[in-house]
Amino acid sequence: MTTPPPTSPGPVPVPDPETRGLRLVAVLLALTVVSGLIDAVSFLGLGRVFTANVTGSVVILGFAAAGVPGFSVRHAVMSLVCFLLGAVTGGRVTGRYGRGSRRRSARLALAGEAALVGVAAAVAFARPDTAGTRDALIGLTAFAMGLRTATVRKFRVPDLTTTTVVTMTLTGLASESRLGDATHHRTLRRAASVLAMAGGACLGAWLVLHHGLGIPLLLAALASGALAMAASGRE
C-alpha cells in the first residue's frame, strides 16, 4: 500500500492592514476631546471665536455683525474661511491618497492636523499675547479642524460623523431614551462623545486660565500625532 503524497499547505492569509491599530471609534472619541481643547483655546484666548465648532462661529459672526461688544467680524470670518479651506484640502487629499482605505485617510489627516496644531503651539510659545499671534492661531487651528472634519465625515461612523459638534448626538441620546422612543441605540457611544467634548473643554479651559495657550495646543498636537500613528480602519 502506497502512502499518499503530503498535501501542499494552502496560501497563508495576509493580515488586512485596515485592521491594524486602534479602532476608529476610540480614535474619534479621543479627537472629540481634542476638539474641546481647541475650542477652549480659541474662545477663551483668541477673541471669543470657535475654530473647531464652526456652527458657533456662524452665530458669533451674526452677533458681531449686529455690533454686540466683544465679538469680531474679522475673527469669525477668518475662522470660517480657514476651516473651509481645510475642508477642501481634506477632501482633495482623501480623494487622491486615501481612496478605499480609511486607515490611510485617517493617518494622513491626523498627521496634517498634528503638524498644523504643533506649529500653532510653537507660535504661542514664541510670541504670546500679540494680535499677529491670535490671527495665526485662528488660521492654523481652524484649517486643521476643517482638514480633520472633512476626512472623518467620509468614515460615516454612527454618532461620530463629526468630532467637533455634539448637537445630533445629544438629540439621539434624548429622543431614543426611555422618555423618548426607548430604543436606546448606541447610548454608551453617544454619552461618551458628549463627555469627551465636555472633558476636553474643561481641561482646555483650565490650562488656558493657568498656563496660557501654548500648553493646551501642544497637548492637542501630541494627541493628534499619537492617534495618527495608532489609527486603524476598523470601526
Side-chain angles (χ1 to χ4, degrees), residues 11 17-18 32 51 75 83 90 95 114 120 146 157 187 192 208 214 229-230:
E18 288 293 293
T32 305
T51 57
H75 285 166
F83 185 95
V157 177
T187 297
V208 169
M229 292 187 289

Side-chain angles (χ1 to χ4, degrees), residues 119-233:
V119 171
V123 172
F125 281 121
R127 296 180 61 83
D129 300 326
T130 70
T133 294
R134 285 191 289 275
D135 289 350
L137 298 189
I138 289 170
L140 287 164
T141 57
F143 191 97
M145 293 300 99
L147 174 67
R148 181 227 287 178
T149 304
T151 304
V152 167
R153 178 175 173 272
K154 294 181 181 296
F155 298 159
R156 294 181 170 84
V157 177
D159 298 302
L160 293 169
T161 52
T162 174
T163 54
T164 53
V165 292
V166 292
T167 304
M168 294 306 297
T169 304
L170 280 167
T171 302
L173 195 61
S175 68
E176 296 175 5
S177 69
R178 183 177 298 178
L179 296 176
D181 64 14
T183 53
H184 301 290
H185 290 157
R186 296 181 293 273
T187 297
L188 289 177
R189 181 185 297 186
R190 289 167 172 169
S193 179
V194 175
L195 290 174
M197 180 72 76
C202 181
L203 175 60
W206 186 85
L207 289 171
V208 169
L209 291 175
H210 296 281
H211 299 286
L213 304 181
I215 289 179
L217 287 171
L218 178 60
L219 181 60
L222 291 174
S224 298
L227 292 168
M229 292 187 289
S232 75

Side-chain angles (χ1 to χ4, degrees), residues 15-179:
D16 183 0
E18 288 293 293
T19 65
R20 299 173 187 166
L22 196 62
R23 290 181 180 272
L24 280 176
V25 168
V27 170
L28 299 182
L29 285 172
L31 288 175
T32 305
V33 176
V34 174
S35 295
L37 279 169
I38 295 294
D39 270 338
V41 168
S42 62
F43 190 81
L44 298 175
L46 302 178
R48 298 174 75 180
V49 66
F50 292 106
T51 57
N53 176 15
V54 290
T55 303
S57 284
V58 173
V59 174
I60 285 170
L61 178 59
F63 292 164
V68 177
F71 295 100
S72 166
V73 170
R74 184 170 67 86
H75 285 166
V77 169
M78 184 184 302
S79 174
L80 290 169
V81 169
C82 290
F83 185 95
L84 293 174
L85 289 173
V88 168
T89 303
R92 291 183 68 87
V93 169
T94 301
R96 182 168 182 178
Y97 299 106
R99 192 180 301 276
S101 172
R102 298 204 296 184
R103 179 173 178 261
R104 187 183 301 117
S105 295
R107 293 188 170 195
L108 284 171
L110 295 181
E113 175 181 330
L116 289 163
V117 179
V119 171
V123 172
F125 281 121
R127 296 180 61 83
D129 300 326
T130 70
T133 294
R134 285 191 289 275
D135 289 350
L137 298 189
I138 289 170
L140 287 164
T141 57
F143 191 97
M145 293 300 99
L147 174 67
R148 181 227 287 178
T149 304
T151 304
V152 167
R153 178 175 173 272
K154 294 181 181 296
F155 298 159
R156 294 181 170 84
V157 177
D159 298 302
L160 293 169
T161 52
T162 174
T163 54
T164 53
V165 292
V166 292
T167 304
M168 294 306 297
T169 304
L170 280 167
T171 302
L173 195 61
S175 68
E176 296 175 5
S177 69
R178 183 177 298 178
L179 296 176

